[in-house]
């Protein structure tokens, strides 16, 4: 099931920000925010709706205290700014608080937005580290299995334990997965996804050899990585596994 973008939960602060803004206005703010469909415009908007103000503090001897600031978040309703808490601000726009933080760092000291550098003109090498991480996380999320065949010829090779037949298909699953898990991150191109797969997962094969996969080998492989295993147990595990393999080869 794909969860579409939507207004988040109301805040639990004393001001009851959702009541302050009103349900109809919240829906409108949300719709207009996403209607732009442009990452740079959205970022500029988030920056504009945020102000930094010095915290009023009791005077102390510590000079540093004088320079502490807090951020205030505002939404505009009928030309009037309403200050809301960060939770409400994030929820109203259907984004995470960490997305707000990231947007606010892309600004100069004089509050001028800095243009996003991601994926310009199809140059996939400029896609941010953040996107690369999501690709790696996605590929790692698939279960893998080993096989007798690959163990002899190329021990590091593992096969995806799925019905996926192409990397294009994996990429399509990635798009759905990303929307669900990191709605604020813009997906990379297939070409980029494929490059990461080839570069970082060269030992992962899509097609498993039909009769050569083995659940028993997988159990031994998992046990062998178990950090709680004693040296003796590990040795025992290895011996049992080699017996199993010898049996499989003759039988
Ligand atoms: Zn609130
Ligand atoms: Zn086996």
């Amino acid at each position: 099931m794909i969860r579409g973008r939507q207004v988040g939960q109301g805040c639990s602060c004393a001001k009851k920000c959702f009541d302050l803004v009103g349900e109809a206005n919240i829906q409108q703010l949300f719709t207009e925010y996403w209607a732009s469909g442009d990452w740079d415009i959205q970022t500029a908007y988030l920056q504009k709706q945020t102000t930094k103000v010095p915290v009023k503090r009791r005077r102390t001897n510590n000079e540093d205290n004088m320079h502490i600031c807090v951020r205030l978040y505002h939404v505009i309703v009928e030309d009037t700014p309403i200050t809301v808490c960060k939770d409400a601000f994030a929820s109203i726009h259907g984004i995470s608080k960490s997305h707000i933080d990231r947007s606010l760092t892309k600004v100069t000291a004089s509050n001028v937005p800095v243009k996003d550098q991601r994926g310009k003109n199809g140059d996939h090498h400029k896609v941010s580290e953040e996107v690369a991480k999501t690709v790696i996380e996605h590929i790692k999320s698939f279960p893998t299995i080993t096989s007798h065949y690959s163990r002899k010829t190329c021990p590091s090779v593992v096969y995806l334990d799925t019905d996926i037949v192409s990397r294009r298909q994996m990429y399509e699953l990635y798009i759905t997965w990303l929307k669900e898990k990191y709605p604020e991150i813009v997906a990379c191109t297939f070409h980029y996804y494929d490059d990461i797969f080839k570069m970082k997962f060269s030992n992962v094969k899509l097609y498993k050899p039909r009769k050569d996969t083995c659940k028993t080998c997988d159990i031994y492989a998992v046990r062998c990585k178990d950090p709680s295993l004693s040296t003796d147990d590990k040795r025992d595990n290895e011996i049992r596994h080699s017996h199993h393999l010898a049996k499989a080869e003759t039988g």
Side-chain angles (χ1 to χ4, degrees), residues 11-13 15-17 84-85 88:
C11 65
S12 51
C13 83
K15 284 196 303 176
K16 294 202 166 66
C17 302
V84 295
C85 68

Side-chain angles (χ1 to χ4, degrees), residues 111-161:
N111 214 31
V112 177
V114 178
K115 203 160 171 56
D116 183 41
Q117 293 303 312
R118 293 186 290 184
K120 292 278 175 274
N121 304 321
D123 184 353
H124 59 272
H125 294 296
K126 278 190 184 152
V127 178
S128 74
E129 195 86 339
E130 191 178 65
V131 181
K133 270 187 197 157
T134 66
V135 171
I136 292 167
E137 185 183 336
H138 182 248
I139 296 172
K140 277 187 177 167
S141 74
F142 290 98
T144 56
I145 47 170
T146 52
S147 92
H148 290 140
Y149 171 77
S150 66
R151 216 181 163 277
K152 273 191 288 175
T153 53
C154 187
S156 64
V157 168
V158 294
Y159 297 87
L160 286 189
D161 191 13

Side-chain angles (χ1 to χ4, degrees), residues 143-202:
T144 56
I145 47 170
T146 52
S147 92
H148 290 140
Y149 171 77
S150 66
R151 216 181 163 277
K152 273 191 288 175
T153 53
C154 187
S156 64
V157 168
V158 294
Y159 297 87
L160 286 189
D161 191 13
T162 63
D163 296 328
I164 292 167
V165 294
S166 68
R167 284 207 286 271
R168 176 68 72 172
Q169 198 186 346
M170 272 182 93
Y171 173 71
E172 278 156 18
L173 291 169
Y174 164 74
I175 301 281
T176 311
W177 173 89
L178 191 75
K179 265 189 205 145
E180 173 90 3
K181 196 155 186 198
Y182 302 102
E184 69 273 18
I185 296 179
V186 178
C188 62
T189 61
F190 169 69
H191 185 54
Y192 182 78
Y193 185 95
D194 204 37
D195 274 358
I196 293 193
F197 192 105
K198 285 186 225 157
M199 254 166 14
K200 307 230 177 203
F201 297 90
S202 57

